[in-house]
């Protein structure tokens, strides 16, 4: 996950991803929260996240950081680019 306070910074991160940037590298450069260590939030349980964020994350197909499938959403915490690596 990449979290940005400003729309313009989120758009810059999306552009890097569109141009082939690895998700974890872009997260380290652009994320403004604790996930900036490569974007990992670890395993999460349904109901433990913001509802808008959670819906986007659970609707997303898992992928890899080298070839990410991602979605961007806005919540009360800012702008997010979400990628899911796996589910248990």
């Amino acid at each position: 996950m990449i979290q940005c306070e400003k729309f313009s910074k989120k758009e810059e991160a999306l552009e890097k991803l569109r141009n082939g940037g690895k998700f974890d590298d872009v997260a380290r450069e652009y994320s403004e929260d604790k996930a900036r260590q490569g974007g990992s939030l670890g395993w999460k349980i349904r109901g433990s996240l913001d509802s808008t964020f959670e819906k986007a994350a659970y609707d997303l197909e898992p992928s890899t950081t080298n070839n990410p499938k991602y979605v961007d959403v806005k919540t009360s915490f800012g702008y997010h680019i979400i990628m899911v690596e796996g589910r248990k």
Side-chain angles (χ1 to χ4, degrees), residues 1-5 9 23 26-42 44 49 53 75 77-82:
M1 187 261 317
I2 300 167
Q3 180 177 333
C4 302
E5 289 182 20
K9 190 165 184 180
F23 195 91
V26 176
R28 278 187 205 86
E29 183 176 351
Y30 285 91
S31 196
E32 300 172 337
D33 74 334
K34 66 182 180 179
R36 69 178 154 263
Q37 299 298 327
S40 179
L41 293 178
K44 297 296 177 191
L49 301 166
F53 184 101
T75 71
F77 299 101
Y79 297 92
H80 312 273
I81 305 169
I82 304 166

Side-chain angles (χ1 to χ4, degrees), residues 22-85:
K22 283 184 60 180
F23 195 91
D24 49 348
D25 291 340
V26 176
R28 278 187 205 86
E29 183 176 351
Y30 285 91
S31 196
E32 300 172 337
D33 74 334
K34 66 182 180 179
R36 69 178 154 263
Q37 299 298 327
S40 179
L41 293 178
W43 295 106
K44 297 296 177 191
I45 298 169
R46 270 192 204 264
S48 66
L49 301 166
D50 173 272
S51 62
T52 302
F53 184 101
E54 188 170 276
K55 178 173 179 2
Y58 278 96
D59 287 349
L60 196 58
E61 182 181 332
S63 61
T64 65
T65 59
N66 287 328
N67 189 21
K69 294 180 182 178
Y70 51 85
V71 64
D72 62 298
V73 297
K74 183 179 187 311
T75 71
S76 60
F77 299 101
Y79 297 92
H80 312 273
I81 305 169
I82 304 166
M83 186 202 89
V84 175
E85 288 187 274

